[in-house]
Amino acid sequence: MSKKESSIEELINLDKKHFFHPTSPLQQQQEQGAAFVFTEGKGIYLHDITGKKVIDGMSSLWNVNVGHGREELGKVAMEQMSKLAFSSSFATFSNEPAIRLAAKLAQIAPGDLSATFLTSGGSEANDTAYKLARHYWLLKGQPERKKIISRTKSYHGVSMGATSATGLKAFRDFTSSLAPDFLYVDHFSAESLRALIEAEGPETIAAFIAEPVQGAGGVHVAPENYFKEVREICDDYGILFITDEVITGFGRTGRYFAMEHYGVSPDMMCFAKGVTSGYAQLGGVMISEKIYKEFTQLSVGTLLHGYTYSGHPMACAVALKNLEIIEQEHLIENAEKRGQELLTGLEWIQKERKIIGKVKGLGLMCGIEIVRDTRTGEGFETPLSPFIVAEAAKQGLICRSVALDGQDIVVFAPPLSITKEEIADLIHILNESIRVVETAAVQNHLSNI
């Protein structure tokens, strides 16, 4: 055994023994080892310890918007850490990167979102939004307003509140006890929202939360007027409207924020992921000018909510540089153009292959549904999307399957820096991967894939 082979085996064994993986099949890890041990990233590509090169068709976790290997982000992080690596934001302490970032976010955010509560990521941002919404109603003298409504097929994170708000039942079934006062409505029906509000009593509802495009739930793009109707309903009943832009924010859909497609502004907006392109852990909740003013006027004493790393100087400095790159390199415009090319490529595959149902997406956030019968939409007894994802990984493309709630979908969200030629490569690998699985499915030999 060579020295390199010995090193690889050592890492695989250490991974099995000591690394408790998030959102992973643990038995698979123990039996087969880590699927990849990545060592380097450049642009849309990742390299693993064996030397294999793959297209990162998911921007890792929907978040590496500017692509891998951006040395300028590492340089900014080093410079900030050399000056001030960390300082607390509790007790009104502050730092320049956090202040500058909050001001920048107010400049680019939709509507009158003007103040930002910073967190370390998306789950914390969502939990913060629920707590702030409920605290807001306490300050307003309406403590009975505590219920949070979300949508089926939604995903809002894995902390306790975020798990409880998530509409994908499998995530809620992971734990034996959920947080109370979370309700769910059909993800595409504004009228179901109105009906639930009426049934529960408007005076008991604190907020409604929705992703502009549902990501982990299967890339579901809302009907044209859905969010305008939702905004009207929330206004009719005095309910706060929260948007979860953790995945969709910072250019992913071809706009800075996805709600811009719908011409609707929320009262609160959760964000994370693309704000730093994954180069540092950061998230937050933006609040409208009106609500922030009420907080500052009505809040007495200490606001008893915050995280150790709220306003982390290094993370905020990285975010500012990341937003600069997004703007200077016109990556939002690129996402719109390349997204249309990706959608066109997926529609071509739809014509080439027999198991592709709906093709959908917005910007660089797309999905294809896998079906047995394209006329009826009938699915396979065993979802094929995991097999397609596994085959694509062999052929050099990372994508993701969604096989929850009776769905069978393959989703994509490559870095916003992807080129026309790289889109073509992605489509070629995907088509070939689907062909392999399609052939095996027809022959009923999936176990041999």
Side-chain angles (χ1 to χ4, degrees), residues 301-327:
T302 300
L303 183 82
L304 294 174
H305 179 71
Y307 302 97
T308 298
Y309 298 119
S310 291
H312 192 287
M314 181 275 288
C316 292
V318 170
L320 284 165
K321 187 64 177 179
N322 176 67
L323 298 181
E324 180 183 307
I325 292 170
I326 287 173
E327 292 178 352

Side-chain angles (χ1 to χ4, degrees), residues 171-186:
F171 283 93
R172 304 200 306 272
D173 289 345
F174 175 82
T175 180
S176 59
S177 181
L178 295 170
D181 297 315
F182 285 90
L183 308 168
Y184 317 95
V185 293
D186 182 89

Side-chain angles (χ1 to χ4, degrees), residues 181-198:
D181 297 315
F182 285 90
L183 308 168
Y184 317 95
V185 293
D186 182 89
H187 68 140
F188 279 170
S189 171
E191 281 310 306
S192 71
L193 173 61
R194 185 182 293 276
L196 181 60
I197 292 170
E198 288 285 356

Side-chain angles (χ1 to χ4, degrees), residues 239-317:
I239 293 168
L240 298 179
F241 177 31
I242 306 170
T243 53
D244 180 346
E245 295 248 16
V246 169
I247 287 175
T248 55
F250 307 101
R252 171 59 54 195
T253 67
R255 299 288 188 276
Y256 232 130
F257 297 96
M259 286 307 294
E260 294 174 36
H261 290 282
Y262 308 108
V264 172
S265 299
D267 301 300
M268 295 185 184
M269 180 179 75
C270 303
F271 67 87
K273 296 189 182 291
V275 69
T276 63
S277 289
Y279 283 72
Q281 301 95 322
L282 186 66
V285 181
M286 293 201 71
I287 303 169
S288 72
E289 186 174 3
K290 172 184 176 293
I291 293 175
Y292 182 56
K293 185 176 182 180
E294 289 181 289
F295 265 112
T296 60
Q297 292 174 341
L298 298 174
S299 181
V300 177
T302 300
L303 183 82
L304 294 174
H305 179 71
Y307 302 97
T308 298
Y309 298 119
S310 291
H312 192 287
M314 181 275 288
C316 292

Side-chain angles (χ1 to χ4, degrees), residues 366-435:
C366 296
I368 54 173
E369 294 183 356
I370 310 302
V371 297
R372 179 191 293 274
D373 189 329
T374 55
R375 294 168 302 173
T376 65
E378 177 192 358
F380 288 87
E381 185 176 344
T382 299
L384 299 193
S385 55
F387 295 98
I388 293 171
V389 168
E391 180 62 30
K394 290 180 187 177
Q395 299 200 27
L397 168 65
I398 292 175
C399 46
R400 181 170 173 174
S401 69
V402 176
L404 301 172
D405 284 9
Q407 301 181 103
D408 195 4
I409 303 171
V410 182
V411 299
F412 314 88
L416 311 190
S417 56
I418 195 168
T419 66
K420 186 181 183 73
E421 293 73 24
E422 290 166 342
I423 289 285
D425 291 342
L426 185 159
I427 292 297
H428 172 75
I429 296 172
L430 177 64
N431 183 52
E432 180 60 20
S433 301
I434 295 174
R435 184 195 66 77

